[in-house]
Amino acid sequence: MSAAPVSSRLPVFPWDKLVPYKSTAAAHPDGVVDLSVGTPVDPVPELIRRALVSAADSPGYPTVWGTEALRDALTGWAGRRLGAAGLEHANVLPVVGSKELVAWLPTQLGLGAGDKVAHPRLAYPTYEVGARLCGAEPVAYDDPTELDPSGLRLLWLNSPSNPTGRVLSREELTRTVAWAREHGVLVFSDECYLELGWEAEPVSVLHPDVCGGTYEGIVAVHSLSKRSNLAGYRAAFVLGDAAVLGELLQIRKHGGMMIPAPVQAATVAALGDDTHVAEQRARYARRRTVLRAALEGHGFRVEHSEAGLYLWATRDEPCWETVAHLARLGILVAPGDFYGPAGDRFVRVAVTATDERVDAAVERLAKAVSA
């Protein structure tokens, strides 16, 4: 008997379920307004494109650890933006997009049958996928400090949350880090939306008030996809425990998991400039404000959503009914149960469409109310 295929361990790819609703939305006379996936649509900032082009003549292999200039940019940015003190090159590692890191981290850590990987009850589905790929057991939590630590090898935090936009307080983070250290559980904190706080100011686990000035047992995950419109570049990085990152570096060297040299140069440029981040924040803030008002005027209730690029909204009905309702208006959103059964009466509405498409959605929602 041949072994069962690895794919048999995995759930159905959730976005495939949305295809018929996308067809309905696309049939709208004015076209679809796609607020589902949350992919950036605004231009890549010019200074980043210039850096990419300048490094285009890169015939040699890049290194997995990245250039010295990239490591300097990572430590400098983390000190300036996260308040992380004393980071050295051993505390940083570039990765080929954050999704790749999330999906393959448990495997690269050597986890398998008998091990547990914990993630928030409402969560980015790739946390669970990563556990299943290596044969570990995914465990959902409401409060991580109430977990049974036996067999628990990896604990995912996510603040700001995808999908809900909830931000963990400094006190919650500090308590969780202390609990994890007490029980020998490695913490990876997905902070990819940290620079997009609206009604709350997100805090990194690397902040001295949270980690106590030591990075033992903690790693933060960051991405340039949303804050710099670089989803197409696959530019992300992790920072924290030097021993953990050193082990990952050795494994990733053997696996050839390297960021292309032009993307490394573009990352350096992106991390050295705060102006384009502020400009992009302003675009998202405007879209978020008008979409939220339109949804609430249409009878939705928005919960959490104090940070990130999504509105977590409900009409107090099954999420697929809401998806179908909005699809008939030409608006495509993500059903909440993509992120766990606890989201089955919510939808996730991305604010990443163009101004023109967002305004079209606002108009359609308003017309449907008055009709």
Side-chain angles (χ1 to χ4, degrees):
M1 290 285 291
S2 61
V6 174
S7 61
S8 67
R9 304 175 193 167
L10 307 179
V12 175
F13 187 62
W15 296 100
D16 290 345
K17 301 176 186 177
L18 206 55
V19 170
Y21 299 91
K22 186 171 186 177
S23 298
T24 298
H28 190 279
D30 188 35
V32 63
V33 178
D34 193 340
L35 307 178
S36 61
V37 177
T39 188
V41 297
D42 298 301
V44 173
E46 180 62 31
L47 86 160
I48 298 175
R49 283 186 276 169
R50 284 200 304 268
L52 184 83
V53 171
S54 295
D57 186 14
S58 298
Y61 290 111
T63 66
V64 172
W65 202 16
T67 63
E68 185 173 351
L70 175 57
R71 299 195 297 271
D72 282 342
L74 294 174
T75 56
W77 174 85
R80 184 178 80 249
R81 184 62 189 87
L82 307 182
L87 282 177
E88 300 180 355
H89 285 194
N91 300 111
V92 301
L93 179 65
V95 296
V96 191
S98 57
K99 183 169 186 175
E100 171 264 308
L101 182 278
V102 173
W104 293 108
L105 177 66
T107 298
Q108 291 174 17
L109 292 173
L111 275 59
D115 296 322
K116 297 177 182 176
V117 176
H119 58 77
R121 192 166 302 281
L122 279 167
Y124 182 48
T126 312
Y127 304 138
E128 177 183 348
V129 166
R132 294 192 181 279
L133 280 170
C134 72
E137 178 188 354
V139 179
Y141 66 78
D142 295 308
D143 179 346
T145 65
E146 294 179 354
L147 287 165
D148 177 357
S150 60
L152 181 58
R153 299 282 305 282
L154 174 62
L155 170 63
W156 279 107
L157 300 180
N158 181 207
S159 176
S161 163
N162 174 16
T164 69
R166 179 173 178 246
V167 173
L168 295 175
S169 69
R170 194 174 307 234
E171 293 72 27
E172 288 175 295
L173 290 170
T174 303
R175 178 168 56 89
T176 299
V177 167
W179 178 88
R181 284 173 170 167
E182 178 186 352
H183 295 287
V185 178
L186 176 61
V187 173
F188 264 67
S189 180
D190 181 347
E191 303 175 351
C192 289
Y193 296 88
L194 185 136
E195 293 191 275
L196 293 164
W198 310 113
E199 291 143 15
E201 186 60 38
V203 179
S204 173
V205 291
L206 302 184
H207 193 283
D209 290 351
V210 174
C211 69
T214 172
Y215 303 122
E216 180 183 358
I218 57 171
V219 177
V221 181
H222 284 269
S223 166
L224 301 185
S225 292
K226 304 298 168 58
R227 51 92 76 187
S228 297
N229 298 333
L230 296 189
Y233 285 44
R234 310 316 299 137
F237 49 93
V238 289
L239 318 100
D241 190 318
V244 174
L245 298 190
E247 172 68 7
L248 291 176
L249 175 59
Q250 294 306 312
I251 294 166
R252 295 170 71 85
K253 282 181 179 178
H254 284 289
M257 294 177 165
M258 57 190 80
I259 296 178
V263 176
Q264 293 189 29
T267 300
V268 172
L271 292 173
D273 177 71
D274 293 333
T275 300
H276 78 276
V277 181
E279 291 171 350
Q280 190 59 45
R281 275 181 54 90
R283 294 186 190 105
Y284 285 141
R286 183 259 175 194
R287 294 166 187 166
R288 176 181 178 274
T289 297
V290 297
L291 265 177
R292 180 168 190 156
L295 287 167
E296 290 174 338
H298 195 78
F300 281 87
R301 184 177 72 256
V302 175
E303 294 191 0
H304 297 302
S305 308
E306 57 255 32
L309 291 179
Y310 311 105
L311 295 168
W312 188 238
T314 181
R315 298 207 308 171
D316 294 310
E317 65 184 7
C319 61
W320 286 99
E321 291 184 16
T322 307
V323 170
H325 167 73
L326 291 174
R328 289 190 291 272
L329 300 180
I331 301 168
L332 190 68
V333 299
D337 66 3
F338 276 12
Y339 309 94
D344 65 358
R345 297 181 75 81
F346 284 81
V347 293
R348 193 196 73 169
V349 184
V351 302
T352 52
T354 64
D355 288 342
E356 184 274 331
R357 288 289 83 188
V358 167
D359 290 343
V362 168
E363 182 180 357
R364 294 175 196 183
L365 289 165
K367 281 184 177 178
V369 170
S370 59

